[in-house]
Amino acid sequence: MTERPQEWVGAWSEKRAALSPARVGLVDAATGTEYTYADLDRRANRCARLLAERGVSLDSVEDGDPTDSAGGRVAVVSRNRPAYVDLFFATAKTGGVLAPLSHRLAPPELAELLDAVDPELLVVEEPFADLAAAATAADARAGDCPILSLPVDGESTWDTYESALPEDDGEFDGPTVAPGDPHLFLHTGGSTGTPKETVISHESVVWNSVNTITAWGLRDDDVTPMVFPMFHTGGWNVLTVPLFHMGGQVVIDREFDPGQILGVVEDRSATVLVAVPAVLRMMVEHDRWEGTDLSSLRLVKSGGGPCRQSVMEAWWDRGVDLSQGYGLTECGPNNFAMPDDWPREKAHTVGVANVHVDARVVDDDGREVPTGEIGELELRSPHAAAGYWRAPAETAETFGEWVSTGDLARVDAEGYVSIEGRKKNMFVSGGENVYPAEVEDAVADHPAVADVVVIPVPDEQWGQVGKAVVELAAGVDESDLSLPALRELLDSRLARFKHPRRLAFVDELPTSGPSKIDRDAVEAEFGE
């Protein structure tokens, strides 16, 4: 037998196709098309040949710096489509790098990312043709990059991706890949300035998958609607890659609304769901909520911010074991899990560290703080990213033996970790530290509040005080909520210095990334 090269993620589609060729791995809800694992590998082989022709190939960094050297890159500006999955497996087969880029960026921002990524090929879904054209026109190097279109309703600005694919879908003879070779560039969800590209190696992808499978008990018969965009780490590493690893089924669509997600859960007997708190809340509030059969769901996780107690209770009341998770692009989206038979009084936590994750909470000098005290959360895991692409100063600040998350946390006596908010969001009022997440969780218990962000504003007496920016619940108006009413609610729960002293209302809180509240936008508008 001829010795095969070590391909890491590049071998997955072929090996999964050999193990379960007829099993459906991907469903495109937009078209109703189902793809078996044999289909996915054939598509990946065709795509790999296309990428090899375009120079999206290996440039091993085994003895170099993965944050400064990587294989050929293919950039994508698209909503979730089957071609994204082709490109994921195909770049892995060729030893290249997949760089998904957000279609929500402005042209100058996209131009900066294209300049940083410097792709050999750009794939653009047709609704974003004008965005891509404006971005490439603004950047000389990107302007020379060939572009392929993913058409919508038959319209295409450039040659189409499908027409460019070679016919040969047989086994692709890929190169030997080192575990540290980059496979994904995933940009951070920064809302000011241009996001940084985080370098995710083959080894990191594998270890994140192993961590997720072992911590959450994923199975080969699991089915999930993928509600995160594939330009986000959630679109790949939360569930898509682990389920492909196991041979499960992932359902994608161009856009998912809460009613559609409920429909997929019932129609496909979905077993696993991970979403941000806002989506979970909107599902609870949707007209289909009461009538949807949720009995197939055995694991539902909330991530991307604190989930309100009232939302969690609504899911529990339906017999669904909803709990909170925690992750970040720089160190995998899956770092904690709830122990078996976890008590409901621990629902505000993200659980305990996964098998292949170490966690600690440190002070500003890097010393671990005592149990129960707040400090910065640091993580250590083989699924950590290598660093930021061509950003040595930022890489040195965040990465080392431990990854500095920038999040504040505390660990209780049983080892459960609570996330107390972003380090940069903490403010001082009258000499006392105030952690907005704690205040927001309490304010959200008021029946008039759908969601809330607490920001610091200047105050002559106390230096800074909290201002609650509230999105009201359906059917109520501003007269249903006042500062005295909030004080009455909070008196038995929070020290007085933590109480918001100002109040503002919005029809809808702004979001960035996958429906995550954009705190910077709130502060820019309502800070004083």
Side-chain angles (χ1 to χ4, degrees), residues 331-360:
C331 195
N334 306 321
N335 290 286
F336 297 90
M338 301 304 275
D340 295 341
D341 302 318
W342 60 277
R344 289 288 186 255
E345 58 266 26
K346 301 292 188 180
H348 65 286
T349 77
V350 295
V352 301
N354 288 345
V355 174
H356 303 291
V357 176
D358 295 322
R360 68 178 186 179

Side-chain angles (χ1 to χ4, degrees), residues 47-168:
C47 185
R49 289 183 170 85
L50 167 66
L51 299 187
E53 292 171 0
R54 305 297 179 107
V56 184
S57 55
L58 180 70
D59 179 12
S60 183
V61 296
E62 189 170 14
D63 299 319
D65 181 359
T67 66
D68 192 54
S69 177
R73 275 86 71 189
V74 54
V76 185
V77 181
S78 175
R79 297 170 298 177
N80 296 0
R81 295 176 61 122
Y84 242 138
V85 177
D86 300 346
L87 291 161
F88 174 84
F89 285 126
T91 47
K93 286 176 181 285
T94 67
V97 175
L98 176 63
L101 304 178
S102 173
H103 52 74
R104 297 169 183 164
L105 298 173
E109 296 171 317
L110 182 59
E112 287 189 59
L113 280 181
L114 285 169
D115 180 65
V117 170
D118 191 16
E120 276 68 37
L121 178 66
L122 174 61
V123 179
V124 179
E125 189 185 19
E126 196 59 31
F128 312 109
D130 290 344
L131 168 64
T136 54
D139 180 75
R141 282 194 298 176
D144 294 332
C145 175
I147 304 175
L148 294 177
S149 174
L150 297 172
V152 173
D153 298 328
E155 297 292 326
S156 62
T157 302
W158 304 278
D159 291 342
T160 68
Y161 165 78
E162 288 288 343
S163 68
L165 290 172
E167 290 297 323
D168 186 357

Side-chain angles (χ1 to χ4, degrees), residues 150-206:
L150 297 172
V152 173
D153 298 328
E155 297 292 326
S156 62
T157 302
W158 304 278
D159 291 342
T160 68
Y161 165 78
E162 288 288 343
S163 68
L165 290 172
E167 290 297 323
D168 186 357
D169 62 5
E171 181 182 305
F172 179 82
D173 186 16
T176 296
V177 176
D181 285 334
H183 177 222
L184 292 172
F185 282 3
L186 296 175
H187 57 71
T188 57
S191 56
T192 59
T194 302
K196 298 181 289 291
E197 290 287 353
T198 308
V199 180
I200 313 293
S201 70
H202 283 253
E203 185 176 31
S204 296
V205 173
V206 172

